[in-house]
Amino acid sequence: MADVELLSYEACPYAQRTRMALIEKDIPFTLTEVDLYNKPDWFKALSPYGKVPLLKHKGDIVYESRIINEYIEDAFPQRPLMPRDPIRRAKARIWIDYCDSYLMPALHKLIADRRDPSKQEKNRADIAERFTFIEHEGLRKLSGGPYWLGDDISLVDLQYMPFIERFPCYTELWGAAIPDDCTRLKEWITAMEKRDSHRKTVSTHEYHMVRYRRYDQAA
Ligand SMILES: N[C@@H](CCC(=O)N[C@@H](CS)C(=O)NCC(=O)O)C(=O)O
């Protein structure tokens, strides 16, 4: 048994981030699926937030996908997923934060307001504005690609990819779109789709649609 165990849920985009990091760094791990709709008592006792992902390593636990990925990077130096230069590290952290602090709240709002069409035009425009910001302030200024920071894949790429994988559901159900001029972003998606870490963790659009339709139809 590997000395790293990841508690996960197959549809969870946050857990996918951590699975991608472990695969990118070639770290053997045991994957334990947790039924989040019927949480086992041992999981409730173990997980302070009652959420996945949760990483067990050397008798300790780490939770929150972003912190887990930082821990993986710190504890396993092989195949680095962060730049060495302090200013590049700071920029990586800015873009890791942008995903959870700015892009995802805009995506969540589209779901939260699904019964209120009067708000959806603004919500769609906000999402487009965030992608445009990523394109011009992030990707185009930071590097020529193919990855977020340049030639090497990093924790920034892993932060976004599970949500970009699910974005076609936001398009199909609620009309959100990545603006046409986000060409570098679209090239980034193509590069990410070729990574082993993506191919080994990706689910089909139909699989995601089953879950997003449930959100759409929930009261
Ligand atoms: N901020 C957390 C979010 C994790 C999260 O929301 N996980 C969901 C599954 S996708 C979960 O465990 N939900 C169970 C619950 O909230 O009871 C992270 O980045 O790890």
Side-chain angles (χ1 to χ4, degrees):
M1 181 150 166
D3 73 343
V4 174
E5 181 180 358
L6 182 68
L7 307 195
S8 180
Y9 172 64
E10 77 170 357
C12 176
Y14 304 95
Q16 191 180 351
R17 283 176 175 166
T18 58
R19 285 157 62 208
M20 289 180 80
L22 291 164
I23 292 168
E24 285 293 343
K25 288 179 84 72
D26 206 13
I27 299 167
F29 63 101
T30 304
L31 189 71
T32 304
E33 285 289 317
V34 178
D35 180 356
L36 292 177
Y37 294 94
N38 187 16
K39 291 179 191 168
D41 288 340
W42 62 263
F43 176 70
K44 289 188 209 160
L46 182 70
S47 171
Y49 292 169
K51 293 185 185 212
V52 297
L54 182 146
L55 189 91
K56 286 166 88 176
H57 185 217
K58 294 185 176 167
D60 221 323
I61 63 159
V62 184
Y63 48 98
E64 284 295 306
S65 59
R66 171 181 169 176
I67 313 291
I68 294 173
N69 277 7
E70 286 175 4
Y71 173 75
I72 291 170
E73 178 65 4
D74 290 344
F76 299 90
Q78 74 264 28
R79 300 193 185 183
L81 291 174
M82 282 290 275
R84 292 174 67 94
D85 172 55
I87 194 68
R88 298 289 289 176
R89 289 173 80 83
K91 292 198 189 266
R93 291 195 180 102
I94 287 169
W95 288 102
I96 287 171
D97 176 68
Y98 189 84
C99 183
D100 288 5
S101 297
Y102 295 92
L103 180 61
M104 283 167 45
L107 296 178
H108 291 328
K109 200 148 186 331
L110 201 64
I111 301 179
D113 289 341
R114 67 194 178 282
R115 301 258 175 273
D116 189 347
S118 68
K119 293 188 178 155
Q120 291 297 62
E121 199 172 324
K122 164 131 187 14
N123 290 339
R124 281 191 284 271
D126 285 347
I127 291 169
E129 186 266 325
R130 301 223 163 150
F131 280 129
T132 300
F133 186 78
I134 285 172
E135 172 79 16
H136 293 280
E137 196 54 37
L139 295 170
R140 289 198 196 188
K141 282 193 183 171
L142 284 169
S143 80
Y147 301 110
W148 210 282
L149 300 178
D151 289 336
D152 299 318
I153 193 160
S154 72
L155 293 185
V156 187
D157 302 292
L158 309 188
Q159 190 78 3
Y160 285 85
M161 192 54 193
F163 294 92
I164 298 298
E165 176 187 319
R166 288 155 180 77
F167 188 70
C169 300
Y170 292 79
T171 306
E172 190 168 332
L173 288 169
W174 305 298
I178 297 177
D180 286 344
D181 86 319
C182 291
T183 51
R184 173 74 171 80
L185 178 58
K186 289 179 182 170
E187 285 163 15
W188 172 84
I189 295 171
T190 304
M192 285 303 295
E193 284 172 346
K194 292 185 186 141
R195 295 296 297 191
D196 246 22
S197 60
H198 173 71
R199 290 191 165 154
K200 288 182 175 158
T201 60
V202 67
S203 300
T204 63
H205 175 62
E206 210 28 66
Y207 176 90
H208 291 313
M209 277 302 288
V210 169
R211 278 147 192 89
Y212 279 87
R213 272 195 210 101
R214 256 183 237 147
Y215 301 142
D216 191 45
Q217 285 152 19

